[in-house]
Amino acid sequence: MKRTPQDKKLEALLRASHISGCGFLGTDTRELWEIIQEDMNDVRAMGQTAKSIASRMKELTVIGQRGLGEWVPAGEHLQVQCDDSRGIIPCPWPHHVRCLKRTTTVKSDTGEQLRWSDLNTHLIEVHGFFEGKGALFRLEPKKLIAVIFQDE
Ligand SMILES: [Zn+2]
């Protein structure tokens, strides 16, 4: 796939450390489009879409907010907790979207635990982007899907 100058600029921004602490691509050496394509293949293989995942993540965040920082049960197998950090973080794509820094943590009774920020939810929903391997907020699509949909 031929990358445009805009694609290269975005990728450089995602690799940079100043926005998110350690960058959105972590130690991943693949190009951005490859990361997105491979993750979206996993998503499709598991019968989900970026939209269905993001909508379930939002649902869990809403449930978590009710706990005001404490764990809240979400269905039979999950508990969810939402922190109340107030900051705002911009989406690195050039479209002026800003998200809350708030993070949601989900744990299942199988011992799996995952967390995401509102920016992760946006990145998945709109850009199909789960971040690069080694990034602080990387979400493995297979693991994420297995955990958040287990009560469905
Ligand atoms: Zn965006």
Side-chain angles (χ1 to χ4, degrees):
M1 190 181 285
K2 182 94 176 74
R3 286 187 299 164
T4 65
Q6 284 88 344
D7 292 339
K8 287 183 183 157
K9 201 174 147 196
L10 173 63
E11 205 167 310
L13 192 67
L14 291 170
R15 286 201 197 278
S17 58
H18 63 279
I19 295 178
S20 62
C22 69
F24 289 92
L25 297 182
T27 52
D28 211 315
T29 52
R30 293 173 297 169
E31 288 180 13
L32 177 62
W33 68 268
E34 291 178 286
I35 296 172
I36 292 175
Q37 196 170 65
E38 284 175 30
D39 284 341
M40 288 309 296
N41 284 344
D42 284 350
V43 167
R44 275 187 290 272
M46 293 185 78
Q48 297 294 340
T49 63
K51 294 253 182 295
S52 68
I53 294 170
S55 105
R56 178 67 177 145
M57 289 165 79
K58 285 182 197 170
E59 195 174 89
L60 289 167
T61 296
V62 167
I63 294 170
Q65 278 183 286
R66 294 182 201 138
L68 305 168
E70 301 297 321
W71 289 100
V72 187
E76 244 180 275
H77 303 285
L78 297 178
Q79 292 196 68
V80 57
Q81 184 192 46
C82 211
D83 77 10
D84 61 350
S85 40
R86 300 276 162 196
I88 299 260
I89 186 165
C91 173
W93 265 259
H95 63 168
H96 305 293
V97 166
R98 282 170 173 71
C99 297
L100 291 174
K101 267 187 180 166
R102 169 174 74 185
T103 58
T104 301
T105 308
V106 168
K107 65 179 179 188
S108 76
D109 54 13
T110 56
E112 302 262 42
Q113 190 161 314
L114 292 167
R115 68 165 181 170
W116 61 79
S117 70
D118 284 23
L119 179 59
N120 282 112
T121 309
H122 166 79
L123 290 173
I124 292 170
E125 179 173 33
V126 177
H127 309 292
F129 181 51
F130 293 76
E131 304 203 7
K133 298 208 188 273
L136 195 59
F137 275 84
R138 160 82 181 165
L139 288 161
E140 283 299 330
K142 285 180 182 166
K143 186 180 172 190
L144 176 65
I145 291 168
V147 169
I148 67 179
F149 289 106
Q150 64 186 295
D151 280 329
E152 306 258 293

